Amino acid sequence: MTSIPVPGLAGALESGLKPEEYALIVQRLNREPNAVELGLFSVMWSEHCSYKSSRRHLRAFPTHGKVVIQGPGENAGVVDIGDGQACVFKMESHNHPSFIEPYQGAATGVGGIMRDVFTMGARPIALLNALRFGDPADPRTRRLVSGVVSGIGGYGNCVGVPTVGGEVNFHRGYNGNILVNAMCVGLAQTDRIFYSAAPGPNLPVVYFGSKTGRDGIHGATMASAEFDAESEAKRPTVQVGDPFAEKLLIEATLELMASGAVAAIQDMGAAGLTSSSVEMAGKGGVGLELNLDRVPQREAGMSAYEMMLSESQERMLAILVPGREADAQAIFTRWGLDAAVIGRTTETGRIVLTHGGEVVCDLPLAPLTEDAPLYDRPHTAPVLRPRLDVADLSPPADWGQTLLTLIASPDLASRRWIYEQYDRHVMADSLEESDTGADAAVVRVHGTTKAVALTCDCTPRYVAADPYQGGMQAVAEAWRNLCAVGATPLAITDNLNFGNPEKPEIMGQIVAAIAGMSQACRALDFPVVSGNVSLYNETDGEAIPPTPVVGGVGLLADAARRAGYGRLKPGQSLVLLGESRGEIGASLYLREILGREDGAPPPVDLEAERAAGVLVRDLIGAGLTACVHDLSDGGLAIAAVEMALASRVGLGLAAPEGVSALGYLFGEDQGRYLLACDDVEAVRARAAAAGVACAMVGEAGGERVRAAGLFDLPLDRLREAHESWLPAYMSGAAA
Amino acid sequence: MSVSMKAKVRVFLKAGVLDVQGKAVEQALHGLGFAGVSEVRVGRLIDFDVAGTDPAKAKAEVEAMCHRLLANPVIESFEVEIV
């Protein structure tokens, strides 16, 4: 190992390691690592790969359940959807790259999450995105929205996987750190799931896909560091995605799996060849020898360090069944992919890399994987805010104007400008997507009458107000959205986005949010099967609002028995399920109309949540309603307007009873649904039996949306307000 | 009469950044039988007039345009020529 320099402590610090971590490496190895070895440690011990700050707390999540085939720890989670079929899904962030280069950052985020899913043996069938941007008035926001949206569309559309849903928020807290969380869902056969653990020694290791170049070196460590004003100027080489290569990779991978040649497989994501090879060998308890001269390279003269840390896209690493190398090569050739056997598994428990005829790295695997540092970082309990009483707020002078302002506010305005850039229908199984007016996307399991329902949710202003309640709410809202389309919720993936965990108050948010999410997952039988943690989302010491996004998946046994909120018919009665007390703290009304971000968030009652959700599914299943909308941002008034707009049918809300008009219209009490039905008595009877509060709140008909004595607005005017904000903003009008 | 100079800006992806378009063109050329082709890179040429007579000043101005609009300095490099 003569020609590789030993960078010492200074080099370690430069690559993002702490002095005590470097001391630990030296102690584990009993010598100083050389530059290549240090590169491996720096990425494997990064927050992104090691989860060193969060792992201890993530153990609180329930990860088992009767439908769970594979929980966290693999490339993606796997749940059983009956008939020998499985649904494979995961969400992952690409926050930092998307801020630096929004188009490619978002595009490669989509590519990366798809690889996680087809690596498990599943064909990707749907994509969703949870996006958070800064204040619309911030000069960078417009360019970031434009770049991210076209990047998502550009990649997903070219690969031919529909983008069916998602969510978008704007808040100044994301000015310096946008969030781009992409979720992919795929379908597989339960007896054809593929894993990453190397099954034994002396097996060939094959690299296939695109060539390795010098892209995105140290992406994983970048994802684990705070931004400062300089990092925009530093502009590291970002990865560029090639969706057509990804399509070839999907087909080749699935064909290779079907051929029986695959013993284990892993995609090359963050930290590329390093994390894929180390994780496969580490999980399998074997060793690994790789000859880097055989790695397909895009550029001449790449060093071992660059090859191991490159984040070039659209690459896979597989361990083959011995003797099947030629069959595999035939498949790669047919799909036009670069491929090479670059090494083999060994019995040594070490990773040995050779390059240019010399050994450039010889490390025991354990310190890179299970012996990586694990921190119990100090955390302080979040400071909670007092509950706001709606009676202390004076009502707006003009209810109609207030409603128009809210429905046109950045967080509620129509997302049409965004989703119209996405192919939502390719593969021809999208039954409900962003444009159809449903709380969750519904995608048919091809060739069956079954469908999966998909949603992603988080309300960051609740999490900021109370991380525990906010964490619960994110899970509960995902669960509610699935119930609202009639699906049985199965499991979730999560994407935990927070600031710097070395600050006790940020760590406190993380701990409390995870505890709240775990509590909700347990109460709702909604286990966590995969996830991703993105920390250090800070710029100049300013952290993002805590944003633990939940991606929920549910199952519809009969896709024909589903609900949406665009199915309102004139003459139908409107029924509100769930208790309304007029919770106004941390509400959208408070922020958008009064400019206040205070108060405790609406509390989540998990028992009531469960009862209401089960009841809604029962009502949909019994054919008593096909038009359901959950109540969330903006409360009853906004749910009613959205239902009327999507259905192109007006409605009238009755005067409030027992609550203030403000709480009635804009309160954000949890666990509630608005539904339309013909037979109110039948709904009332079932609600009474289920112990769920049920009130008739209005009637459908006409071309106006009215609330007795409060407002009366034509549908056209509401639609104009709802539809015009985003296109006007994107075309350069003032925020 | 206004005096102007011609600016030519060549924009290419930086070395090391995957050139998806170049790769596609290279594969298509191979498909057409041009076997000897390699290292294809696709860029763009932007050509316009700038008012003034001082080439150094014009060059500085065009470089500012490149940084802010004509190129994506995160992944692209550029060359400015004033004639």
Side-chain angles (χ1 to χ4, degrees), chain A residues 307-482:
Chain A
M307 267 186 268
M308 289 307 289
L309 268 60
S310 161
E311 294 195 351
S312 290
Q313 300 292 294
E314 294 95 23
R315 301 180 300 160
M316 304 285 273
L317 199 63
I319 294 174
L320 296 180
V321 173
R324 299 296 302 273
E325 293 91 327
D327 302 338
Q329 186 56 56
I331 291 169
F332 301 140
T333 306
R334 201 157 72 73
W335 290 104
L337 298 177
D338 280 292
V341 173
I342 60 168
R344 62 182 186 97
T345 57
T346 63
E347 279 167 333
T348 60
R350 301 179 74 83
I351 177 165
V352 180
L353 306 174
T354 56
H355 184 229
E358 63 169 350
V359 172
V360 293
C361 164
D362 184 351
L363 292 176
L365 280 160
L368 289 167
T369 55
E370 70 257 37
D371 285 351
L374 179 58
Y375 296 128
D376 186 5
R377 298 201 187 273
H379 48 91
T380 51
V383 180
L384 300 184
R385 308 168 181 171
R387 182 174 180 272
L388 256 184
D389 191 341
V390 68
D392 295 340
L393 299 176
S394 44
D398 182 340
W399 292 94
Q401 192 50 52
T402 301
L403 184 57
L404 286 167
T405 305
L406 265 183
I407 198 77
S409 67
D411 277 0
L412 283 178
S414 165
R415 270 69 180 116
R416 182 179 304 279
W417 184 91
I418 294 172
Y419 65 70
E420 281 192 340
Q421 299 186 45
Y422 302 153
D423 188 334
R424 310 186 301 280
H425 300 283
V426 62
M427 301 180 98
D429 285 309
S430 307
L431 302 176
E432 303 288 347
E433 35 80 9
S434 309
D435 193 40
T436 59
D439 286 321
V442 176
V443 180
R444 184 170 42 217
V445 176
H446 197 81
T448 72
T449 56
K450 292 190 296 190
V452 287
L454 318 166
T455 180
C456 51
D457 298 285
C458 177
T459 312
R461 58 180 195 281
Y462 296 166
V463 193
D466 181 340
Y468 182 82
Q469 287 288 335
M472 280 211 289
Q473 195 275 342
V475 174
E477 185 169 352
W479 198 82
R480 198 182 309 146
N481 281 330
L482 298 174

Side-chain angles (χ1 to χ4, degrees), chain A residues 100-101 104 210 213-215 235-238 240-245 298-299 313-314 336, chain B residues 13-21 23-24 26-27 39 41 67-68 71-75:
Chain A
I100 293 171
E101 166 38 44
Q104 293 297 344
S210 298
R214 290 187 175 95
D215 343 29
R235 303 201 149 143
T237 310
V238 297
V240 170
D242 179 354
F244 300 105
R298 204 166 70 220
E299 302 168 59
Q313 300 292 294
E314 294 95 23
Chain B
L13 285 168
K14 283 181 182 169
V17 175
L18 174 67
D19 184 348
V20 179
Q21 215 180 335
K23 200 172 103 182
E26 183 170 317
Q27 281 169 354
E39 299 296 317
R41 295 187 67 78
H67 277 289
R68 295 187 52 190
N72 175 355
V74 180
I75 53 174

